[in-house]
Amino acid sequence: MTVIPVYNTLLVPDSFVYLKTDQYALLAGRQPEAEERVILLATREAQRRRDLTEESFYPVALSGRVAEVNENGFAVIRTGMRVNVDMLYVNIDHSIELTVSPRRDIEDLEREVEQEHAERLKEEILQTVQKYDWGRQVMLFIENLHTVSEMAAAVAVWSSMDAAERYAILEEDSKNARMAALEKMVYEFLTASRAANEAAGEQKKDYQKMYREQAIRRQMEVLQKELDEMHPENISDVRRFERKIEEAGMNETALAEARKVLNRLKQEQNGSMESGMLYDYLDFVTGLSWKKEEAQTIDLHEAEAVLDADHFGLEKIKKRILQQIAVMNLKRQQSGSILLFVGAPGTGKTSIGQSIATALHRPYVRVSLGGSRDEADIRGHRRTYVGAMPGRIMDGIRRSGASNPVMVLDEVDKLGVSYNGDPGSALLEVLDPEQNGTFTDHYMNVPYDLSDVLFICTANSVDTIPEPLLNRMEVIQFQGYTATDKFQIARRHLLPKSQTAMGIAPEALEVSDEAIRTIIADYTMEAGVRGLRKCMDTLCRAAAVEIADGAEKVEITPDNVKKYLDRKPMQHDHILTDPAPGIVTGLAWTRAGGDILYIETLLTRGSGKVTVTGQLGDVMKESVQIAVSLVKSMFPEEAEVLKENDLHIHVPAGAVPKDGPSAGITMTTALASLVTGRSVDPHTAMTGEVSLRGAVTPIGGLPEKLMAARRAGITRVFIPEKNMEDLDDIAPEVLEGLEIIPVREVREVLEKTGILAE
Ligand code: ADP
């Protein structure tokens, strides 16, 4: 809660305090926010915040909530219950920490009696108002005051009471005594203003009238909306919710539940924990959009233009997205198949989701699922749970403010499972068109229709996505960018964006083409463009500093890139310079795209044991066994060494586990190289699965692997013949300078690497 130290202010429970916004900011150390909960602390002296000490405060305070922050520069604080300040510290940074407990009233005042007093007092005020003709506005204002506390709060500004007397009212436990004091205050005001009115001359009277009217009018503006529907209890929130609930367009179940919760809120004492919970619930459900949006027909050309404007390349993906939009147009539906964008980080999966939303004229919302291990993350906690919250899906809907946003579910491959249930199966329900029309978040406890939400999921790799979930979605691969793509992306998108973000005028910064190419080649090593984007940001930041220092223009060339990036160029996966028997270059498919890896083998004196280390699932171990058997059968004599020696095979970590088997030919070649003592040129890389017959079978992730090979400076690659058709998808510049050799059998690899005579 925000602590607000106030001086000489009338603090009465279940009433109002109005503070000017700037005054509030000064006292609280922050700007007021609607619905913010506050503790109003009375101080003994008028002191600047930084001079306040533990001794500055009175021991009884008041809880409250900012009911409204209005454009006229007022924060209206609806006050709640009185609290005892049990402990209070003023920190070195002048922030105030305290613990409070409720302070009970002495209930010695009957409702009817209070009501009677209030009515009588009001009557008096109204008569005065009429008699001296303070105007209709004032009248209306008074009409809306219902309790003595409220009337006192309204006139407190004119009261002659000093700070200690005002505080005495707050500390007074007896409701009866408190009412008497407040009543006295109002009478004092009435007497004084009557006297003023009667005694003063004509001119002064006008002046008084004007002053009073203006002052009251100002407060009135602030309060009008709240006071409109005021009632003795915590009614303004209640009324507001009442209206919102009726207007929200909720389904029947939701409406019934909301009404039930509202009724409970009415019975709760303002400021209690329960009332906070009920309040939060109503705030959440009435904040959701329950209205069905009409399906719009989207102009395909326009959509295409939007997609093209935001993203370079990605032709196939954009085409697929346009197809989806066309189908949605035809069927007049707002959602369709669920797309799963798979690819390395920074390949544009999330950002294209945003473009889709723009193209569809629908709100965009991103929900991150990475690391979520609890079913409640998706589906929310039941409200009986302390600190219960809605799940991420409904929270996303709320943030989007609509019932049909484009929702990007990020990192669906990073969902975990724990004893708290399986978020994957909850997600299944979210994505299933048969079920998601009545998705029930545990917190909300009522169904919500998700069928108009356009879901897009993203993942780095599909192999950790549970099968049933994967079946629901249509996989779209983001391959990663070539150096040429990256250049265009940097030139057309990343650099201008960073430049604008840092406020650098176009003519003030010139980055040469060669500089961009240098950055791509020497400072980034990635399939996507995240690192590249960071580099552009760094460049612009450094340039901005120089420009601020008076430089007219900053030119960035390959020679000064290092200075501006303030970083050493990256060490490329350097290719081994000395070929050694038993070490062979392989290609792996990693979460970041592709990479080269070395499979290393070594013989040590022993008795024919095989040790494998590194990243090895069971599949990989099988590949090792196949490789050993193959080499034994192909090189019966040389393989004799395996009997009197131990064999150690090491496969470095990094690849996605499922890609393990595609190291099959690499492993076999490494072993063959080891036993024959013939080394393989490290500029030669290979990928392919191998069967016990020695047949090479196809693998996945070829584009990423070839790009990695190209980056690392490999010149020759063996690939399974069956993968040749994948080459159509690969940019010509990746293939340029790479000799691709399709193979059907592992024997061909051994021949072409010189291990086996052709
Ligand atoms: P992902 O979700 O795949 O990890 P992001 O969508 O976060 O990647 O993209 C990272 C950054 O790169 C974003 O700023 C995005 O705008 C930019 N970007 C990625 N691909 C392209 C592209 N083809 N054209 C323009 N900008 C791109």
Side-chain angles (χ1 to χ4, degrees):
M1 291 189 177
T2 308
V3 178
I4 310 181
V6 290
Y7 176 67
N8 198 18
T9 304
L10 181 70
L11 301 178
V12 252
D14 297 329
S15 178
F16 289 102
V17 169
Y18 4 97
L19 287 174
K20 283 200 141 166
T21 317
D22 47 359
Q23 196 185 357
Y24 183 107
L26 211 63
L27 295 169
R30 52 174 295 183
Q31 289 294 329
E33 256 179 68
E35 307 306 342
E36 173 174 40
R37 287 153 171 261
V38 300
I39 290 280
L40 294 157
L41 262 183
T43 66
R44 295 173 201 267
E45 287 164 40
Q47 259 169 344
R48 281 175 304 181
R49 181 159 177 138
R50 66 163 183 272
D51 298 327
L52 292 171
T53 66
E54 273 91 351
E55 278 69 48
S56 310
F57 301 101
Y58 282 117
V60 178
L62 191 61
S63 77
R65 187 198 304 277
V66 177
E68 189 187 341
V69 182
N70 91 2
E71 314 97 62
N72 303 333
F74 273 91
V76 185
I77 301 168
R78 191 79 175 82
T79 60
M81 71 198 302
R82 300 180 310 139
V83 292
N84 284 318
V85 178
D86 299 325
M87 253 186 302
L88 185 145
Y89 300 108
V90 176
N91 293 322
I92 304 222
D93 64 354
H94 311 298
S95 61
I96 300 166
E97 256 179 70
L98 42 75
T99 55
V100 296
S101 55
R103 184 179 175 101
R104 303 249 165 261
D105 289 330
I106 297 174
E107 299 286 346
D108 53 2
L109 178 63
E110 277 166 38
R111 248 259 160 61
E112 288 79 7
V113 176
E114 193 191 359
Q115 205 78 34
E116 250 173 58
H117 277 255
E119 271 158 29
R120 189 154 5 103
L121 197 54
K122 188 164 165 180
E123 198 45 47
E124 291 240 30
I125 301 175
L126 286 174
Q127 273 173 16
T128 311
V129 168
Q130 247 161 6
K131 182 162 174 207
Y132 298 109
D133 190 22
W134 289 352
R136 221 178 63 82
Q137 297 275 55
V138 181
M139 198 87 134
L140 268 174
F141 175 70
I142 309 288
E143 284 287 2
N144 282 314
L145 301 173
H146 295 285
T147 61
V148 176
S149 303
E150 285 162 0
M151 289 175 231
V155 304
V157 209
W158 294 283
S159 167
S160 62
M161 277 191 195
D162 64 22
E165 291 173 271
R166 286 173 197 241
Y167 172 72
I169 297 181
L170 174 64
E171 205 182 47
E172 179 54 74
D173 288 340
S174 153
K175 273 191 159 182
N176 199 1
R178 202 157 67 217
M179 192 195 63
L182 294 171
E183 218 173 354
K184 194 172 140 235
M185 190 170 176
V186 182
Y187 275 119
E188 180 207 342
F189 164 79
L190 284 173
T191 325
S193 47
R194 280 173 200 151
N197 268 294
E198 270 149 18
E202 210 52 39
Q203 215 179 1
K204 193 172 174 197
K205 205 162 141 192
D206 277 346
Y207 171 77
Q208 286 263 344
K209 185 177 136 194
M210 209 172 70
Y211 164 73
R212 202 168 276 123
E213 208 181 299
Q214 264 178 8
I216 296 183
R217 203 184 294 242
R218 207 171 54 215
Q219 294 182 351
M220 205 170 52
E221 278 167 6
V222 181
L223 299 173
Q224 193 70 61
K225 218 169 84 197
E226 287 296 323
L227 296 180
D228 242 9
E229 303 172 1
M230 204 157 58
H231 197 267
E233 296 107 41
N234 176 27
I235 207 78
S236 65
D237 281 341
V238 168
R239 279 284 160 79
R240 192 161 57 84
F241 283 136
E242 244 164 29
R243 206 177 44 229
K244 277 185 161 182
I245 290 169
E246 300 313 316
E247 288 168 2
M250 296 180 184
N251 57 47
E252 258 172 54
T253 344
L255 195 61
E257 177 81 7
R259 284 181 180 150
K260 203 171 85 193
V261 173
L262 185 70
N263 277 334
R264 272 175 55 202
L265 180 66
K266 283 182 192 163
Q267 285 148 25
E268 278 301 322
Q269 197 190 2
N270 185 22
S272 73
M273 194 151 106
E274 178 77 6
S275 84
M277 251 180 55
L278 301 170
Y279 179 93
D280 290 344
Y281 177 82
L282 290 172
D283 195 46
F284 184 80
V285 292
T286 56
L288 291 171
S289 166
W290 292 87
K291 300 206 169 68
K292 280 243 155 212
E293 306 287 338
E294 280 284 311
Q296 286 184 27
T297 305
I298 302 298
D299 181 342
L300 286 182
H301 292 291
E302 199 189 311
E304 190 173 3
V306 171
L307 295 179
D308 282 340
D310 293 347
H311 289 86
F312 173 83
L314 303 175
E315 301 307 337
K316 274 193 168 174
I317 291 155
K318 288 179 189 165
K319 201 167 129 196
R320 176 65 191 82
I321 293 166
L322 288 174
Q323 285 170 355
Q324 171 107 347
I325 298 179
V327 172
M328 280 158 50
N329 272 347
L330 273 180
K331 293 174 130 181
R332 299 204 59 72
Q333 276 180 353
Q334 312 218 33
S335 59
S337 17
I338 291 152
L339 304 179
L340 170 63
F341 293 165
V342 181
T347 44
K349 301 180 298 294
T350 320
S351 60
I352 207 152
Q354 173 131 41
S355 300
I356 295 175
T358 317
L360 294 174
H361 306 294
R362 280 159 63 175
Y364 163 82
V365 56
R366 176 175 169 184
V367 172
S368 177
L369 297 178
S372 130
R373 299 173 58 218
D374 195 332
E375 193 187 338
D377 284 338
I378 306 287
R379 216 198 286 271
H381 290 292
R382 291 189 193 285
R383 260 178 293 146
T384 46
Y385 191 93
V386 180
M389 280 195 307
R392 296 190 197 177
I393 303 290
M394 287 316 299
D395 181 59
I397 296 285
R398 155 88 187 241
R399 277 187 286 132
S400 80
S403 60
N404 66 343
V406 172
M407 185 178 279
V408 170
L409 301 173
D410 241 344
E411 307 199 297
V412 286
D413 54 339
K414 309 251 170 34
L415 285 177
V417 180
S418 72
Y419 62 91
N420 277 332
D422 171 10
S425 63
L427 195 58
L428 209 58
E429 206 184 301
V430 171
L431 298 179
D432 184 352
E434 305 271 306
Q435 295 183 60
N436 70 10
T438 55
F439 175 71
T440 304
D441 182 282
H442 286 331
Y443 177 79
M444 285 175 58
N445 201 24
V446 291
Y448 186 88
D449 184 357
L450 293 176
S451 61
D452 283 346
V453 179
L454 180 64
F455 289 105
I456 294 174
C457 301
T458 81
N460 291 144
S461 119
V462 290
D463 47 72
T464 50
I465 302 180
E467 198 64 35
L469 199 55
L470 198 56
N471 288 342
R472 287 268 141 67
M473 311 192 264
E474 184 180 334
V475 177
I476 297 184
Q477 287 284 350
F478 281 57
Q479 272 182 6
Y481 298 113
T482 64
T484 326
D485 291 339
K486 287 183 186 173
F487 173 79
Q488 295 293 351
I489 294 175
R491 186 44 95 213
R492 296 184 197 195
H493 296 276
L494 305 180
L495 188 57
K497 262 191 224 161
S498 313
Q499 210 166 328
T500 320
M502 312 276 166
I504 304 176
E507 61 283 356
L509 175 69
E510 189 178 310
V511 185
S512 75
D513 288 356
E514 277 318 304
I516 296 186
R517 292 208 177 90
T518 307
I519 295 173
I520 293 169
D522 297 343
Y523 290 87
T524 65
M525 215 156 48
E526 53 178 357
V529 292
R530 262 196 204 165
L532 186 58
R533 195 179 103 174
K534 281 193 201 133
C535 286
M536 293 297 145
D537 285 348
T538 314
L539 274 190
C540 289
R541 222 175 294 126
V545 172
E546 290 200 357
I547 293 167
D549 278 347
E552 284 212 342
K553 182 167 187 178
V554 179
E555 288 182 42
I556 293 172
T557 62
D559 298 328
N560 63 17
V561 157
K562 188 170 163 197
K563 179 183 124 205
Y564 283 101
L565 288 182
D566 195 20
R567 228 175 70 190
K568 283 204 212 120
M570 281 199 166
Q571 288 288 1
H572 276 278
D573 326 315
H574 39 229
I575 298 202
L576 293 178
T577 36
D578 305 325
I583 304 184
V584 173
T585 320
L587 293 175
W589 188 17
T590 67
R591 287 190 191 279
D595 208 349
I596 64 167
L597 57 81
Y598 295 104
I599 294 203
E600 300 168 327
T601 57
L602 188 70
L603 285 175
T604 53
R605 196 166 305 153
S607 54
K609 269 195 305 204
V610 178
T611 316
V612 277
T613 55
Q615 186 201 37
L616 289 150
D618 285 340
V619 218
M620 199 72 126
K621 289 195 180 132
E622 281 169 18
S623 299
V624 170
Q625 279 159 5
I626 293 179
V628 172
S629 303
L630 267 174
V631 169
K632 279 184 181 161
S633 79
M634 285 163 86
F635 302 92
E637 276 169 36
E638 288 92 335
E640 284 296 308
V641 289
L642 294 175
K643 280 193 191 142
E644 58 245 32
N645 290 288
D646 284 350
L647 172 66
H648 187 158
I649 301 185
H650 180 70
V651 185
V656 295
K658 201 180 156 199
D659 193 43
S662 70
I665 61 171
T666 325
M667 221 157 336
T668 313
T669 311
L671 256 186
S673 158
L674 181 73
V675 298
T676 58
R678 291 183 200 122
S679 49
V680 176
D681 178 5
H683 294 86
T684 297
M686 56 194 70
T687 178
E689 278 194 57
V690 80
S691 76
L692 202 47
R693 285 185 295 114
V696 178
T697 52
I699 46 90
L702 191 65
E704 287 85 354
K705 287 178 179 172
L706 291 183
M707 275 191 237
R710 176 73 213 255
R711 272 205 300 272
I714 301 285
T715 51
R716 192 163 72 140
V717 184
F718 291 101
I719 65 164
E721 193 184 43
K722 292 230 173 70
N723 278 106
M724 281 305 274
E725 58 194 43
D726 295 353
L727 293 183
D728 296 344
D729 287 345
I730 297 172
E733 68 204 81
V734 173
L735 301 176
E736 198 180 303
L738 269 187
E739 187 190 350
I740 308 274
I741 305 174
V743 288
R744 267 197 266 181
E745 284 182 45
V746 75
R747 175 174 291 275
E748 294 168 56
V749 180
L750 299 180
E751 284 169 1
K752 294 207 163 89
T753 49
I755 293 175
L756 203 65
E758 287 195 35

